[in-house]
Amino acid sequence: MISAFALHPALILIAGAFLLPLLKGQMRNMAVLAIPATTLVSVFLLPDGKLWETSWLDYTLAPLAVDQLSRLFAGIFALMALAGGLFALHQQNRLEMPAAYLYAGSAIGVVLAGDLITVFVFWELMAIGSTLIIWSTGTPSAWAASRRYLTVHLAGGVILFAGITGHIIETGNVGFSAMQANSIANWLILIGFLINAGAPPFSAWLPDAYPEASWSGMVFLSAFTTKTAVYVLLRGFPGTEILIWIGIFMIFYGIVYALLENDMRRILAYSIVNQVGFMITGIGIGTEMALNGAAAHAVSHIIYKALLLMTAGAVLVATNRRKCSELGGLFHSMPLTTLCACIGALAISSFPLTSGFISKSMVSQAAIDGHMQTVWLFLTAASAGVFLHAGIKFPWFVFFQKDSGLRPAEPPLSMRFGMVLFAILCVAIGLWPDFLYAMLPYAVVYVPYTAAHVVTQLQLLLFSGLAFFVMLNYLKRTPTITLDADWLWRASGPAAGRTIASALQISLACMRKGFAAANVMLSAAINRQRLPDGFLLRSWPSANMSLWVMVMLLSYLALYYLE
């Protein structure tokens, strides 16, 4: 059953992905903007409820189910596709934009799915779309990264499929609703979700693959996979306590590696893991305040992280350089890009009057309300770490450190429009948070701008900034490589493959030698029987031959009567 006028927003973007390769010039540019804009409007025109339902193998599927939470995520995903399309308007690669819209449409399909089977179908389409974005870059490093990326996500898909199958067998229900991690099937579903969230021990797939995408491709990649995972965890596993500690691990893992990094886009990639950790911690706390905070922070993060990656992409286009040790002094010739980067850096650091301040603080408040003092201390310490690596390190080393002598011009107009749009949203949400709060899944009874909260946050940021400049000599980056957990499958994996291949070659060589020796021995044995004293030419007594003839005749007679 399909409700009247209930057009699935995901299908608009996916259909647009197949339309774009057929268009050129201004028609293509108009379609790049019109397709996600139409999707965005359609998301907010849909009424609540299960709008599409169909039967499959005696199960009722709901490919289009809308409520407050799904509308929030579908809306921000459509907005992200629109802003990303604007930023990448002059991307020359003919594959990237169709792949990005397939990716974004699949993410919207996941958040609007009312059953686990539809979730899985769109989940796998997301893996295909995101892999194509990395692949479209066309460099050897991007191709290698896309293979590793796809391997991890296909493995996660297999785990998720096994969990969903087991869950359906156990419960007889395909509906996607809150569940408990109390069975093997549900644990497999949880693990499948966490792999896409960038949770340990598979966090390294994200900084390994995302920075290999193009200057515009990473903007799209930053928004959908991890935030779709946040959505399904919000929907499927709210209040699962282990998520608190997984989230805290992700927070500090991202901070440590981002501080060690020299590549500006890998800094921001590790920062994605760090920020998703805040959301997963909120989901683990599980109260209405915490779940609202996780959802609000996902929205804020999509905007300010895309803004930061847009500025990094602008620098990459202008200079063709990614290493912090090769950049600096760009504020002289790229003032608008510098301003947008600073706004994004303040937002990710939860600076008052920015979007990060009004969302991240809800998770901390939930920890206080739940009397989780240890969790609150970890979150507070982590906020200082975020300011160190993303709030100061990224803009300082890219735009303000010792002058590199580079004087690139500002990026093209469409890229500047994309950056300015999201910079305005970072400030607007921070100034008027009630607009975002009204779209959250639960009623919000929270005032972010209290004197105590503002002063505490400013003190925290002030001392973090002081620590950064005091330790500046230790934080200066050099052209080094940071080893992560992906070393296990990037180094030991091929080494194990080579060892197995060598062992197989040795085994095959031994088998060939053995067969050859056995063949020689068998031939010699047969040839010996052909000699005068051999078995075939040897003289036999007549009595023996008569005995054997009698045995054969009796056997034949017995078989004749048995038939």
Side-chain angles (χ1 to χ4, degrees), residues 400-423:
F400 296 109
Q401 72 163 339
K402 183 179 178 181
D403 196 346
S404 61
L406 299 172
R407 291 295 182 269
E410 292 282 10
L413 196 60
S414 61
M415 296 174 67
R416 281 178 276 168
F417 280 152
M419 291 189 294
V420 170
L421 171 61
F422 269 10

Side-chain angles (χ1 to χ4, degrees), residues 441-458:
Y442 304 101
V444 177
V445 183
Y446 177 67
V447 179
Y449 289 106
T450 62
H453 183 205
V454 172
V455 171
T456 300
Q457 187 66 15
L458 288 175

Side-chain angles (χ1 to χ4, degrees), residues 123-164:
W123 192 265
E124 293 303 287
L125 280 176
M126 268 202 317
I128 295 171
S130 53
T131 302
L132 288 174
I133 291 175
I134 303 169
W135 187 22
S136 68
T137 308
T139 62
S141 60
W143 169 243
S146 69
R147 286 182 294 165
R148 294 189 295 270
Y149 175 88
L150 186 61
T151 300
V152 172
H153 285 278
L154 289 180
V158 170
I159 294 170
L160 179 61
F161 180 77
I164 290 173

